[in-house]
Amino acid sequence: MKKTVFVLGLTLLLSIVPVDLSGNSCPVAKTAEAADSGIQPYSNETGYKYRIIDGKLYKRLWSYTYRRWEEPRWTLV
């Protein structure tokens, strides 16, 4: 008895929920060109990264804008 009531309730619940099978409701993925058309920074944002080598503290300038090192080597602090 409980099983038939459960199956009947589940069937009614699933029949009430609307299903869209047209395929037009999916969001369109943006291309990389469309994503790059946003705000562009005017200046290079940089910051120092620190590292301990052989017990000595070194620093090196990192560009957050271009994601690359701005200084050729680590310098002792």
Side-chain angles (χ1 to χ4, degrees), residues 48 51 57-61 71 73-77:
Y48 280 101
R51 174 185 251 178
L57 184 64
Y58 289 85
K59 69 177 181 177
R60 193 172 183 186
L61 192 61
E71 292 182 341
R73 61 185 63 86
W74 291 95
T75 56
L76 185 64
V77 177

Side-chain angles (χ1 to χ4, degrees), residues 4-73:
T4 56
V5 172
F6 175 75
V7 171
L8 182 62
L10 185 63
T11 305
L12 289 173
L13 179 67
L14 291 176
S15 65
I16 294 173
V17 176
V19 178
D20 183 17
L21 299 176
S22 65
N24 294 333
S25 64
C26 296
V28 178
K30 293 183 178 180
T31 61
E33 297 169 355
D36 289 340
S37 65
I39 299 172
Q40 296 293 325
Y42 285 109
S43 63
N44 184 10
E45 294 189 28
T46 58
Y48 280 101
K49 300 277 187 170
Y50 295 92
R51 174 185 251 178
I52 296 175
I53 303 173
D54 294 329
K56 298 177 184 176
L57 184 64
Y58 289 85
K59 69 177 181 177
R60 193 172 183 186
L61 192 61
W62 175 257
S63 171
Y64 291 104
T65 306
Y66 301 111
R67 305 184 97 197
R68 66 179 182 204
W69 293 114
E70 295 293 324
E71 292 182 341
R73 61 185 63 86

